């Protein structure tokens, strides 16, 4: 096949203990999946059906590191999240079999232009400008489920310059990982390479250039991100 121009390289995530890279197909994100965070966003945390948004695959920042403060915002927020990576997919996946499709897990950041997201939300407009922008999805290395199992409980934390800002537990997910995969598969054909950000615990807040973010999830290591000035 001949292309009009050289296609962009596919987005990837590194894998712990494996020289191969995980190729990214799509990035799905769950909104408001911890009750305490739903409350801090002014919403009722009762168990309604989950809702989703997406980020472009090339928003992934593999392994974290330096990212630039994005344009168009003055309220740039961190959201620490468990990320699920699929090795296979399908349609109408039952909850009971959903974990069979998981390759592994990582620590991720759903970086958010909160001012733009809330304006969109309140006007009934799409969230893309608030959520789906360049470098908005830093992800630490993937830990294969074959090694770490399927974490359903454990601390998830985010520190900024050493001060803990977010602290939660995976056991407090409103929609579990298998429930989330099953629900999504009723609306999309899921496939190998898909990533799912599973939502953030309470304590989201703003960061500025110079800040150093450290996200941790029990058993999944850490993700370090440094915010550089805007381009
Ligand atoms: Mn999020």
């Amino acid at each position: 096949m001949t292309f009009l121009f050289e296609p962009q390289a596919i987005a990837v995530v590194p894998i712990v203990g494996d020289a191969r890279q995980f190729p990214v197909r799509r990035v799905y994100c769950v909104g408001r999946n911890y009750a305490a965070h739903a409350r801090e966003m002014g919403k009722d945390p009762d168990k309604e059906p989950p809702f989703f948004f997406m980020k472009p695959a090339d928003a992934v920042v593999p392994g974290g590191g330096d990212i630039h403060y994005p344009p168009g915002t003055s309220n740039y927020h961190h959201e620490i999240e468990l990320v699920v990576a699929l090795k296979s997919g399908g349609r109408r996946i039952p909850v009971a079999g959903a974990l069979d499709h998981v390759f592994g897990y990582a620590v991720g950041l759903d970086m958010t232009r909160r001012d733009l997201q809330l304006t969109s939300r309140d006007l009934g407009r799409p969230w893309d400008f608030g959520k789906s922008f360049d470098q908005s999805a830093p992800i630490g290395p993937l830990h294969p489920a074959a090694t770490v199992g399927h974490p359903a409980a454990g601390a998830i934390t985010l520190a900024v310059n050493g001060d803990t800002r977010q602290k939660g537990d995976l056991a407090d997910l409103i929609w579990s990982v298998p429930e989330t995969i099953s629900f999504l598969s009723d609306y999309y054909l899921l496939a190998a390479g898909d990533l799912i950000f599973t939502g953030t615990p309470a304590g989201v807040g703003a960061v500025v250039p110079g800040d150093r973010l450290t996200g941790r999830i029990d058993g999944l290591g850490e993700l370090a991100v440094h915010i550089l000035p805007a381009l």
Side-chain angles (χ1 to χ4, degrees):
M1 188 182 297
T2 305
F3 294 105
L4 180 62
F5 51 83
E6 191 61 32
Q8 175 174 291
I10 193 165
V12 297
V13 182
I15 303 167
V16 175
D18 194 327
R20 296 172 297 174
Q21 303 284 312
F22 180 90
V24 179
R25 174 177 178 260
R26 293 181 184 170
V27 181
Y28 296 96
C29 306
V30 189
R32 293 195 287 269
N33 203 18
Y34 291 81
H37 174 62
R39 280 188 215 100
E40 78 179 347
M41 298 304 290
K43 297 296 177 184
D44 185 342
D46 284 352
K47 190 162 179 169
E48 319 173 305
F51 69 93
F52 295 84
F53 56 90
M54 296 175 78
K55 291 176 184 273
D58 69 355
V60 168
V61 181
D66 291 347
I67 62 175
H68 288 274
Y69 195 93
T73 184
S74 55
N75 197 19
Y76 176 46
H77 274 208
H78 52 76
E79 294 192 0
I80 191 68
E81 309 203 2
L82 171 70
V83 178
V84 181
L86 300 188
K87 64 183 178 186
S88 57
R91 305 179 199 276
R92 294 181 290 280
I93 297 168
V95 171
L99 292 181
D100 295 342
H101 298 283
V102 174
F103 168 73
Y105 299 89
V107 183
L109 276 163
D110 166 16
M111 298 304 294
T112 300
R113 294 191 283 211
R114 189 72 69 202
D115 40 4
L116 302 188
Q117 182 212 2
L118 294 184
T119 298
S120 302
R121 185 189 77 179
D122 295 345
L123 291 172
R125 292 175 181 167
W127 284 16
D128 301 53
F129 271 32
K131 289 289 195 178
S132 310
F133 53 92
D134 300 327
Q135 299 189 314
S136 61
I139 302 177
L142 279 168
H143 293 253
T147 307
V148 299
H150 297 279
I156 174 170
T157 61
L158 187 278
V160 179
N161 305 324
D163 297 330
T164 299
R165 299 271 187 88
Q166 293 190 260
K167 193 170 175 54
D169 195 291
L170 299 181
D172 294 330
L173 281 169
I174 296 172
W175 291 89
S176 69
V177 169
E179 287 172 333
T180 299
I181 292 169
S182 179
F183 186 95
L184 256 183
S185 74
D186 286 341
Y187 292 83
Y188 292 93
L189 171 60
L190 299 181
D194 289 346
L195 300 175
I196 305 171
F197 279 67
T198 56
T200 197
V204 300
V207 292
V208 296
D211 282 348
R212 292 185 181 276
L213 287 60
T214 309
R216 290 191 180 86
I217 297 176
D218 280 353
L220 302 180
E222 72 173 44
L223 166 66
V225 165
H226 177 217
I227 310 297
L228 298 178
L231 292 170

